[in-house]
Amino acid sequence: PLLVGGKDMIYPRMNNLSYWLSPNALYLLMLSFMTDKGVGAGWTLYPPLSSYPYHSGPSMDVMIVALHLAGASSLVGAINFASTNKNMPALEMKGERAELYVLSISVT
């Protein structure tokens, strides 16, 4: 927000939601390693290894929920960042006069 001339993000509660979803996702990720026999599907979560015959316990389900929470956190943060870049820039920071970091994040 400082690069577009603002004091804070345009939606501070969305920013808070994005922040607090991240530790919960990490907690569930760590919990999935300790549940039952753990997630033995490797770092790629290869589908044949993560199917029911190999993982009949809840560890894979907890891992999937953790990944969904991390994705939701990232999505909420990205929406907040994009809306801040769109709606808050000062007059001298609009368009091609914006900082390179703001432009790169907006394009991403």
Side-chain angles (χ1 to χ4, degrees), residues 68-88:
H68 277 88
L69 271 181
S73 170
S74 178
L75 184 65
V76 168
I79 290 170
N80 195 12
F81 203 103
S83 61
T84 300
N85 289 344
K86 176 73 175 148
N87 297 324
M88 280 187 80

Side-chain angles (χ1 to χ4, degrees), residues 36-55:
D36 200 25
K37 296 178 186 175
V39 180
W43 67 275
T44 58
L45 296 177
Y46 188 55
L49 293 178
S50 61
S51 63
Y52 184 74
Y54 298 102
H55 282 90

Side-chain angles (χ1 to χ4, degrees), residues 21-33 39 41-46 50 59-75:
L21 282 177
S22 294
N24 290 322
L26 180 65
Y27 172 73
L28 285 176
L29 181 74
M30 300 302 280
L31 185 68
S32 72
F33 296 145
V39 180
W43 67 275
T44 58
L45 296 177
Y46 188 55
S50 61
S59 61
M60 190 52 138
D61 299 332
V62 174
M63 170 73 94
I64 291 170
V65 171
L67 291 176
H68 277 88
L69 271 181
S73 170
S74 178
L75 184 65

Side-chain angles (χ1 to χ4, degrees), residues 2-21:
L2 296 176
L3 293 175
V4 295
K7 290 168 55 176
D8 194 10
M9 299 294 272
I10 197 163
Y11 301 119
R13 289 187 188 260
M14 268 179 89
N15 203 19
N16 194 18
L17 176 67
S18 174
Y19 175 77
W20 284 110
L21 282 177

